[in-house]
Amino acid sequence: MDTKKTKRYAVLGILFFLPVAFLLMLYPSTHNYNPLEVVHENVKEISTDESNALQDHITILAFLGKEPMSKATAASNLKELVYDKFKGFKKFQIVVVAPYGAEEAYNALNKEISNYEDLRFWHYLYHSDDNIKAIYSNLLRTNASLDSNLASDEVFIIDKDRNQRGRLDDRKENEIEKKVPIYGLYSYNCVEVAEIKNKMSDDMRILFTEYRQKRKGKFEDSNSRRSKDLKQ
């Protein structure tokens, strides 16, 4: 009987202390928190008089071109895997830069992806073809190009200060060990579901964590942490 009680208490003790130990292991990781890197500074405003500006918003910027229904898969992935997940966060929005003359096509796309749900944080900004080319090529850092319809599967994260965010070094651990040359991640492919789930969602969470810590006065960038460590 005593042996059974001892085993039962041992199991209960393990079940109690295991989560506590796990939390204690996670606690030091907050000290090593790294913000999502700025890959390009000072993205210029691209809004119109009727639309929301980029300033003071966390924006996902997309280019779906003259035939947006051909990008319905990318738009649906963006809506279901990003918009639906982060629409509750303050100052979050998705902005699609669209060409003049394609308004009816975008209305059709909106009906396709909305499923009668609220899309008030999803905006379309209409511009001339030349302006769209300039925005994409000159104002953003990217390794991809717009196609002949002014569309791309790539989307961009723009922070509240109009800085483009991403990863300056996107190598995996085994690639670093093999000394593969550094390559970055400046945009996210919306057709690649794994990239949205495994990279973009994580990067968005990191960015929202940064702003939450800033509101609480707890945010320290890498330079501040390094100075504090040196003093200690």
Side-chain angles (χ1 to χ4, degrees), residues 17-65:
F17 287 109
L18 192 60
V20 175
F22 179 71
L23 290 174
L24 290 174
M25 290 173 63
L26 289 179
Y27 179 76
S29 66
T30 59
H31 178 75
N32 297 321
Y33 164 78
N34 289 316
L36 188 60
E37 293 169 308
V38 173
V39 298
H40 183 67
E41 296 181 342
N42 299 321
V43 175
K44 292 183 180 179
E45 283 288 5
I46 59 172
S47 59
T48 66
D49 293 338
E50 298 143 2
S51 304
N52 289 5
L54 300 181
Q55 185 70 36
D56 299 323
H57 287 81
I58 295 176
T59 303
I60 303 298
L61 192 61
F63 298 78
L64 300 181

Side-chain angles (χ1 to χ4, degrees), residues 12-160:
L12 290 174
I14 292 172
L15 292 175
F16 175 78
F17 287 109
L18 192 60
V20 175
F22 179 71
L23 290 174
L24 290 174
M25 290 173 63
L26 289 179
Y27 179 76
S29 66
T30 59
H31 178 75
N32 297 321
Y33 164 78
N34 289 316
L36 188 60
E37 293 169 308
V38 173
V39 298
H40 183 67
E41 296 181 342
N42 299 321
V43 175
K44 292 183 180 179
E45 283 288 5
I46 59 172
S47 59
T48 66
D49 293 338
E50 298 143 2
S51 304
N52 289 5
L54 300 181
Q55 185 70 36
D56 299 323
H57 287 81
I58 295 176
T59 303
I60 303 298
L61 192 61
F63 298 78
L64 300 181
K66 297 179 180 180
E67 299 176 359
M69 290 302 293
S70 68
K71 296 294 181 182
T73 299
S76 295
N77 288 344
L78 192 60
K79 191 266 178 186
E80 294 174 7
L81 301 177
V82 180
Y83 181 84
D84 288 349
K85 183 179 292 186
F86 296 107
K87 64 183 178 182
F89 287 84
K90 191 174 182 180
K91 295 296 184 179
F92 169 75
Q93 65 177 358
I94 288 182
V95 171
V96 179
V97 182
Y100 289 128
E103 288 84 351
E104 289 188 9
Y106 277 95
N107 288 336
L109 177 69
N110 218 48
K111 292 179 181 179
E112 176 78 15
I113 66 174
S114 67
N115 294 322
Y116 303 101
E117 295 176 14
D118 180 14
L119 287 180
R120 59 180 150 165
F121 307 115
W122 183 298
H123 309 288
Y124 299 103
L125 304 183
Y126 293 96
H127 282 266
S128 68
D129 291 9
D130 288 341
N131 278 349
I132 292 174
K133 291 175 183 177
I135 290 167
Y136 193 90
S137 301
N138 301 329
L139 305 183
L140 298 166
R141 185 173 183 179
T142 177
N143 294 326
S145 301
L146 291 174
D147 64 19
S148 58
N149 286 318
L150 302 178
S152 174
D153 293 327
E154 301 292 319
V155 297
F156 304 83
I157 297 176
I158 311 297
D159 69 17
K160 292 183 179 182

